[in-house]
Amino acid sequence: MFKKILIANRGEIACRVIKTARRMGIATVAVYSDADARAPFVRMADEAVHIGPAQASESYLVADRIIAACKQTGAEAVHPGYGFLSERASFVEALAKEGIAFIGPPAEAIAAMGDKIESKKIAREAGVNVVPGFVGEIRDTDHAVEIANDIGYPVMMKASAGGGGKGMRLAYSEKDVREGFESVKREGLNSFGDDRVFIEKFIEDPRHIEIQILGDQHGNVIYLNERECSIQRRHQKVVEEAPSPFVTPKMRKAMGEQCVALSKAVGYYSAGTVELIVSGADKTGESFYFLEMNTRLQVEHPVTEAITGVDLVEQMIRVAAGEKLAIAQDDVKIDGWAIENRVYAEDPYRGFLPSTGRLVRYQPPVEPWADDGQANGRRGVDGVRVDDGVFEGGEVSMFYDPMIAKLVTWGATRDEAADLQVAALDAFRIEGLGHNVDFLNAIMQHPRFRSGELTTGFIAEEYPEGFAGAPASDALKRVLAAVGGVIATADADRARRIDQQLDSAFYAPGDWTVRIGEREEGSSTYEVRLGEDAITVDGEPVMLEMEYTPGDATVSVEYGGSEEGDGEWLTLQLRPTRTGYAVTTRGATHHLRILQSRIAHLAGHMIEKEPPDLSKMLICPMPGLLVKLHVAEGDEVQPGQPLATVEAMKMENILRAEKQATVGRINAGEGDSLAVDEVILELE
């Protein structure tokens, strides 16, 4: 067994590997860029080596610097995590020349599966179902249009070396192909150094299901069941679960055996994942097709660990050290259900735009996962596990992936795991930048998610106009109104005790008018009264049990029971506003305006501030690089016409005209770095 390994990665996955290595008695070495000098993974490792500037292309992607760090520290092996150099065959070969082991598959398997065109040929020869498409060299845009017309729309254009949702465009028409082909080539070249593109038939109503593979260097390969990863946004996974609510035992066996055959065909060992596209319309389960093979550890591996009890990182290390697998296919079981949500630094209320900056507050619902070596321990604390690599006061950088943490829950049933997600997301406190916690919470409660009727179009279909918060029932609003009354009374009672604030003989008021909603239209108003024996909302009693001290940012509330202990629980996050509180719970932020009932009617005389008209400006929605201006001053533009392309987090975002107009002044040029809300151009 190795005595010291180096982790050629950063963030949560570096922390994850360090924890397991530490339990195994293996010393660890971290490598870090300028941006990560104070990161948790650097402090956790036994040694740390600085490898360059913040840009990944000058640090984490420079193989020579990783190898030099190995030599400097005496590390015998390298765990690549995911991303960066994890699927680069040349890196594995360079390590081998220096006598350093790679904790992953052989270079030949990485090369074969890393090329999406070549991998489909190998998969077909191995007897794996393959999606119809063109896997040859595409000369130019006209050739791409010709191929797409032959296959039949819709088609998917993909960068051959792509991954992680980058370098992909869906085309429903020739116009889409002409507009998107060159963009796919650029994204492939910028992100992966390879501008080759392939085109395949897009399976409508598709489900994204993947099989976890584990093999050793002695020819043994097994599959550790499947994961459902259908809930995606822009081809980036958002929610993963294991097992899949769609897969039957017969399907699981057929998929698993084909994926094992593919793995053996390329001499695969270590952990790997075969991704499949499955037709949700075919209830026979026979319409599944090979998509790609990820020759590394997946982001979503904890859900597989939770239901199988197998530590995938430990197995990777043992396989790299030459050990045989200690488990056979018949030993792989399914125990319960696990769901993972990816907590991203992105703002779902602004079209999921990337959000970078400082984590002013970062308080996960439980302590970050600690590897105790027990199978049940991989399920976290009471079924809640947080894998992260950030800290309060730290910064989410524009240079790397915007993921803040992974929230994993385990339950005996799917509903139990989802209920745990809702409760944990309610308690997840993040301030200082935009995040998607509300959005994830909304998904976990969504009737379609609970039914298991998922496709990769789930988010686009269920949130076609974007996300504006999870809908709240009238029952929930009544509880929030009652809570608002309790909080307002407690705050008033505190105020009267402060010298010269209120006469101490006065009692704090107990009659309140609570309006829920930022503006008059669409809001709900409730009359709340706090009596000696009961709290009433519009004259109806509401059962509440809660503890609140003025200044609390988080409050737990039991409601709806006939006596203490038999009601439902809510975790509320509170933020004071000018006339009340913003209360976040159950996937939405509710603005409570709380006024004493005797003066509430006067609020109708207040003029509400109208938002400014920004329709004549093209505003940069996120920090990024202006890679292309599609128009010039004086151009006439039509609705939907591209105006500018901004690159952020290595993804190109096309900003389009919302109405017919004339381009007036242009304030930025190609190559400029733009701040969020910076005006790119003005329309007349």
Side-chain angles (χ1 to χ4, degrees):
M1 181 50 64
F2 306 118
K3 293 181 180 179
K4 183 186 291 187
I5 65 173
L6 181 145
I7 297 93
N9 217 297
R10 61 176 300 279
E12 67 86 14
I13 190 58
C15 294
R16 164 74 182 90
V17 176
I18 290 169
K19 289 171 185 176
T20 292
R22 179 185 294 163
R23 174 176 55 78
M24 296 174 68
I26 301 171
T28 56
V29 179
V31 291
Y32 64 94
S33 69
D34 289 345
D36 285 332
R38 296 174 59 234
F41 76 92
V42 176
R43 299 195 302 270
M44 286 177 61
D46 297 297
E47 300 175 66
V49 178
H50 176 253
I51 55 169
Q55 292 86 350
S57 60
E58 298 179 42
S59 52
Y60 296 107
L61 286 170
V62 182
D64 289 346
R65 295 187 181 182
I66 304 295
I67 292 171
C70 288
K71 292 179 177 179
Q72 176 184 332
T73 59
E76 306 159 78
V78 171
H79 195 300
Y82 52 75
F84 295 139
L85 297 172
S86 62
E87 294 180 281
R88 190 168 294 184
S90 60
F91 177 56
V92 182
E93 292 167 346
L95 288 173
K97 288 180 181 178
E98 301 294 338
I100 302 167
F102 180 70
I103 303 176
E108 297 79 10
I110 294 175
M113 292 294 100
D115 185 325
K116 288 184 173 61
I117 296 174
E118 188 64 28
S119 67
K120 289 184 182 298
K121 295 177 181 178
I122 296 172
R124 186 183 292 114
E125 292 170 1
V128 180
N129 303 341
V130 177
V131 178
F134 184 86
V135 294
E137 190 84 18
I138 300 176
R139 297 186 301 274
D140 51 29
T141 301
D142 288 338
H143 189 203
V145 169
E146 180 184 330
I147 291 166
N149 289 337
D150 288 342
I151 295 172
Y153 295 99
V155 297
M156 181 68 81
M157 299 178 288
K158 296 183 183 180
S160 179
K166 298 181 178 69
M168 301 174 72
R169 287 291 188 282
L170 180 58
Y172 284 95
S173 65
E174 178 177 326
K175 177 177 178 291
D176 292 343
V177 176
R178 291 192 180 280
E179 188 175 287
F181 181 72
E182 290 299 327
S183 183
V184 172
K185 285 173 69 71
R186 282 197 304 271
E187 284 189 9
L189 185 62
N190 292 340
S191 295
F192 311 104
D194 186 341
D195 69 351
R196 289 178 303 156
V197 175
F198 72 96
I199 300 176
E200 67 182 10
K201 179 72 176 174
F202 179 70
I203 307 299
E204 298 190 82
D205 294 328
R207 299 180 80 115
H208 185 119
I209 294 172
E210 58 189 33
I211 299 292
Q212 176 67 57
I213 291 296
L214 184 63
D216 62 25
Q217 300 186 49
H218 306 277
N220 303 304
V221 183
I222 61 174
Y223 62 91
L224 279 72
N225 306 315
E226 80 285 351
R227 295 184 289 258
E228 171 95 45
C229 307
S230 295
I231 297 183
Q232 305 177 2
R233 193 186 64 76
R234 292 185 68 176
H235 312 293
Q236 181 75 46
K237 298 166 190 172
V238 177
V239 181
E240 300 102 348
E241 59 183 304
S244 163
F246 182 72
V247 172
T248 63
K250 181 181 177 182
M251 286 177 66
R252 183 174 297 119
K253 186 173 187 293
M255 290 175 173
E257 289 177 350
Q258 283 197 19
C259 295
V260 166
L262 174 62
S263 301
K264 290 184 174 181
V266 293
Y268 198 90
Y269 55 78
S270 193
T273 296
V274 181
E275 300 196 349
L276 305 169
I277 194 88
V278 182
S279 171
D282 185 356
K283 301 303 180 183
T284 67
E286 295 177 359
S287 298
F288 63 87
Y289 306 95
F290 172 77
L291 195 61
E292 63 180 342
M293 185 173 189
N294 292 312
T295 54
R296 54 170 168 79
L297 190 67
Q298 292 282 91
V299 175
E300 59 271 21
H301 73 273
V303 294
T304 295
E305 295 183 331
I307 66 165
T308 63
V310 177
D311 185 324
L312 287 168
V313 172
E314 178 181 347
Q315 292 301 316
M316 291 179 75
I317 295 172
R318 293 191 180 281
V319 167
E323 295 185 12
K324 287 185 178 181
L325 291 181
I327 53 175
Q329 191 63 60
D330 290 342
D331 299 322
V332 179
K333 308 298 181 187
I334 297 178
D335 180 12
W337 213 286
I339 299 174
E340 175 181 292
N341 276 305
R342 301 189 187 189
V343 179
Y344 280 123
E346 62 183 13
D347 191 345
Y349 295 100
R350 299 184 65 189
F352 300 93
L353 297 174
S355 179
T356 58
R358 192 166 303 284
L359 285 164
V360 177
R361 291 282 182 272
Y362 178 72
Q363 297 172 2
V366 297
E367 288 296 314
W369 176 74
D371 188 356
D372 62 1
Q374 302 300 311
N376 286 346
R378 292 177 199 117
R379 297 170 180 167
V381 180
D382 297 326
V384 180
R385 169 176 165 177
V386 173
D387 283 23
D388 64 18
V390 298
F391 65 100
E392 189 169 280
E395 197 168 346
V396 175
S397 169
M398 65 178 288
F399 297 105
Y400 312 119
D401 185 90
M403 189 167 68
I404 297 171
K406 301 186 308 198
L407 178 65
V408 184
T409 56
W410 176 92
T413 66
R414 187 170 185 265
D415 277 340
E416 285 183 28
D419 288 343
L420 278 173
Q421 281 283 347
V422 171
L425 288 163
D426 273 349
F428 214 131
R429 189 179 176 204
I430 301 173
E431 296 177 14
L433 43 70
H435 57 80
N436 66 339
V437 168
D438 281 357
F439 180 64
L440 298 174
N441 207 328
I443 292 176
M444 293 296 99
Q445 301 170 73
H446 200 290
R448 181 174 163 190
F449 173 77
R450 291 299 181 116
S451 74
E453 294 296 322
L454 311 177
T455 70
T456 55
F458 176 93
I459 290 176
E461 292 159 9
E462 298 302 324
Y463 303 97
E465 304 300 322
F467 180 70
S473 66
D474 185 59
L476 176 59
K477 288 182 179 180
R478 289 170 62 82
V479 170
L480 295 179
V483 169
V486 172
I487 289 173
T489 298
D491 287 347
D493 186 60
R494 175 70 169 269
R496 78 180 182 86
R497 297 171 188 273
I498 299 174
D499 188 38
Q500 297 182 354
Q501 292 292 308
L502 288 173
D503 191 314
S504 59
F506 290 170
Y507 289 103
D511 294 343
W512 304 94
T513 298
V514 181
R515 189 184 83 183
I516 301 180
E518 285 193 87
R519 304 182 68 80
E520 193 69 47
E521 60 271 17
S523 64
S524 304
T525 302
Y526 302 89
E527 297 298 327
V528 180
R529 169 167 291 192
L530 276 64
E532 292 184 9
D533 302 320
I535 302 170
T536 61
V537 177
D538 292 341
E540 296 291 327
V542 174
M543 158 61 185
L544 279 187
E545 291 287 342
M546 60 179 286
E547 291 185 8
Y548 170 75
T549 301
D552 283 351
T554 303
V555 176
S556 292
V557 178
E558 184 186 3
Y559 69 97
S562 57
E563 59 183 48
E564 185 176 352
D566 66 352
E568 295 186 48
W569 283 90
L570 275 177
T571 298
L572 311 177
Q573 297 189 36
L574 310 176
R575 178 171 54 83
T577 61
R578 186 170 58 85
T579 57
Y581 279 88
V583 181
T584 302
T585 190
R586 292 295 190 266
T589 297
H590 305 274
H591 292 267
L592 276 58
R593 189 189 65 176
I594 309 170
L595 298 173
Q596 292 183 42
S597 294
R598 65 184 179 84
I599 63 170
H601 66 282
L602 299 174
H605 298 288
M606 299 296 292
I607 298 173
E608 294 203 33
K609 184 178 180 181
E610 293 293 329
D613 180 13
L614 302 177
S615 63
K616 294 184 177 181
M617 301 177 184
L618 180 67
I619 295 174
C620 187
M622 82 289 277
L625 181 71
L626 181 59
V627 295
K628 189 169 182 61
L629 272 172
H630 300 277
V631 293
E633 291 182 358
D635 285 358
E636 296 284 335
V637 297
Q638 301 298 321
Q641 182 176 336
L643 300 178
T645 299
V646 176
E647 182 186 287
M649 301 289 185
K650 295 187 178 179
M651 296 285 283
E652 289 191 358
N653 303 272
I654 300 175
L655 308 182
R656 302 176 185 273
E658 295 184 358
K659 61 182 181 181
Q660 183 176 354
T662 302
V663 178
R665 180 181 177 183
I666 294 178
N667 301 314
E670 294 181 0
D672 286 355
S673 292
L674 303 175
V676 65
D677 292 336
E678 186 170 339
V679 178
I680 300 173
L681 56 84
E682 299 171 22
L683 300 171
E684 299 174 348

